[in-house]
Amino acid sequence: MERVVQFTGPRHVEIAEHARAVLPPGHLRVRTRYSGISAGTELTAYRGTNPYLTRTWDPEARLFREGAAGIEYPVAGWGYSEVGEVVEVSPELDGMPGLPVTGDLIWGIWGHRSEGIVPAERVVGHTLPAGLDPLAGAFARVGAIAHNAVLAGDIHLGEDVAVFGQGVIGLLTTRLAQLSGARVTAVDALDVRLDTARRYGAHATLNARTDQVAERVREATGGLGADLAIEISGAHPALHEALRSVAVGGRVVASGFYQGDGTGLRLGDEFHHNRVQLVCSQIGGVPPQLSGRWSVDRLQRTFLRLVAEGQVDVTSLVSHVVPAAEAADAYVLLDERPAEALQVVLEF
């Protein structure tokens, strides 16, 4: 039997069991070892705020359509940070260049399920680097999201960068921005995350609840403001403060998954008067100017290479490894007590 984590309604989680599917041609069967929970995108489905639950995405028009939901409860197998062992390969794939073989540990996306059936083309080159802790493979996608935001920011050596949000992806963004030559100010509302940000290379930290963030950033930059701000928390007030924090003609990369109306975001204020560039970064693609050389798959592979080379530490971000059977408790933890958790990983 296959076990699948599913949301049966807002804030309701259960483990469903299904008969094991037959492996179709062109696919691999992977037995899941670890599956990381996204505390951003996944919680929108868990809480019931995800736009797909109330509208339908039209991929040709690139618009959301009102009147029908794109997904409905139960939402099964949500998740995009999996690591597992290849246990079966469709016979006609034998000898395909770069394809993992039986026994290999691979990373990819097949959701919170004990077993994934994955198209071969989606896992070519996805064998876990030798010597890498399997837990690290669960960071390929979140690391790519952070890397994408940094590339969209077009950081130059010596620039001042403010990173708003120091959850897992924000911390990785802080580290990658620092590796790119930036002097990073990390911003979050939780002191425990700011402590981690300092270890991750932040030059300075600011508490969004107690510090006047934009004023402090401008003081630290001789009154100019940051060259770049990356907003990765998905909170509209944080995006507004990011817009307030950058220099005239500065850039803000919006990489959070914002929910609902933009309460707290006032585009007639600093955004308008300082002629701020606002750029969206979303993991469905890379910055347009880099699309000839970069791809989402390259982002993921590059990030794991940085981890394997010791330039980025990810395993220390794993705060909880939870048996898949206790997934409901894991979501309650992330939803209600975020100060107690960073990366929560389900173990199958």
Side-chain angles (χ1 to χ4, degrees), residues 116-245:
I117 293 180
V118 189
E121 64 271 14
R122 284 175 45 191
V123 292
V124 169
H126 284 208
T127 302
L128 206 65
L132 197 62
D133 187 327
L135 268 176
F139 287 82
R141 189 71 167 184
V142 292
I145 294 169
H147 194 180
N148 209 29
V150 168
L151 290 181
D154 191 27
I155 295 171
H156 300 89
L157 183 65
E159 288 189 325
D160 288 287
V161 175
V163 179
F164 287 75
Q166 295 297 303
V168 172
I169 299 177
L171 288 165
L172 296 176
T173 302
T174 290
R175 175 60 177 156
L176 294 177
Q178 189 234 357
L179 286 176
S180 300
R183 183 171 65 171
V184 180
T185 296
V187 184
D188 200 276
L190 298 174
D191 285 332
V192 65
R193 293 185 178 179
L194 295 176
D195 292 340
T196 306
R198 293 186 193 97
R199 297 197 301 271
Y200 254 63
H203 174 79
T205 59
L206 294 171
N207 187 301
R209 296 188 189 278
T210 59
D211 289 314
Q212 292 182 307
V213 173
E215 288 79 359
R216 292 281 301 277
V217 170
R218 291 184 180 279
E219 289 170 6
T221 54
L224 293 175
D227 298 286
L228 166 71
I230 299 175
E231 203 303 294
I232 209 145
S233 74
H236 291 107
L239 180 58
H240 182 71
E241 199 66 13
L243 292 168
R244 297 186 70 233
S245 299

